[in-house]
Amino acid sequence: MTAVRSTARALLSCAVLTACGAEATPGAGPSRPAWAEPAAYTYTLTSSEGERALIGTFRVTVRDGEVARATGLDADSRRVVSQSPDAIPTLADLLAELDQARHDHADVVKVQYAKDGHPLRIEVDWDERAVDDEARYVISAYKPRN
């Protein structure tokens, strides 16, 4: 009975989010739109949910596939930048986490893409029965650089 409810809930979520330009899949799902990470770009990341080190809002500059600079925009993110600067992800890192969640059949995997294919929002809940294992990433102010 639980499997039937979970499947129905997942299908309903998928239908609702697909109508909004998003994709929601339990575990493995459709591949993401074609998007190639540019050599340089900036974006703002708001990372929330769960008991994780990467919490807060960050302004991120990426060059050659690596985070070149990260600025914390709130107290939580400033702490992360000063204590764990390597924890700040590129968009490719976030997409790799999304792919891993699908591969590992996380209970909830939701993603919304921009028209150009870069992610706008990623939500993962590895185990719906567990507390604080969720991750939510909101990507804004994305700007490719020359």
Side-chain angles (χ1 to χ4, degrees):
M1 186 67 141
T2 301
V4 171
R5 255 186 268 134
S6 295
T7 301
R9 185 172 52 235
L11 290 173
L12 177 61
S13 295
C14 184
V16 168
L17 286 172
T18 299
C20 300
E23 160 193 333
T25 60
S31 61
R32 62 179 182 251
W35 177 75
E37 183 180 37
Y41 60 94
T42 57
Y43 77 102
T44 299
L45 171 66
T46 300
S47 177
S48 62
E49 306 302 320
E51 291 288 328
R52 305 173 299 119
L54 186 65
I55 297 291
T57 301
F58 307 83
R59 185 69 186 147
V60 183
T61 300
V62 176
R63 286 191 200 101
D64 298 321
E66 301 289 328
V67 173
R69 179 178 181 167
T71 303
L73 302 179
D74 57 26
D76 288 332
S77 60
R78 284 190 288 275
R79 185 171 34 261
V80 173
V81 169
S82 69
Q83 295 176 357
S84 304
D86 292 339
I88 314 304
T90 65
L91 292 179
D93 294 334
L94 293 174
L95 290 170
E97 182 176 338
L98 173 72
D99 289 343
Q100 188 64 51
R102 286 183 176 138
H103 180 266
D104 293 346
H105 304 288
D107 285 344
V108 175
V109 178
K110 297 179 185 177
V111 60
Q112 181 179 3
Y113 297 101
K115 288 181 182 180
D116 73 354
H118 81 272
L120 293 172
R121 183 182 185 96
I122 296 171
E123 294 182 37
V124 175
D125 187 349
W126 297 92
D127 183 347
E128 286 184 300
R129 297 171 308 225
V131 176
D132 292 336
D133 71 333
E134 307 86 7
R136 177 178 297 143
Y137 304 109
V138 177
I139 294 96
S140 60
Y142 167 75
K143 187 170 187 180
R145 302 285 183 185
N146 294 330

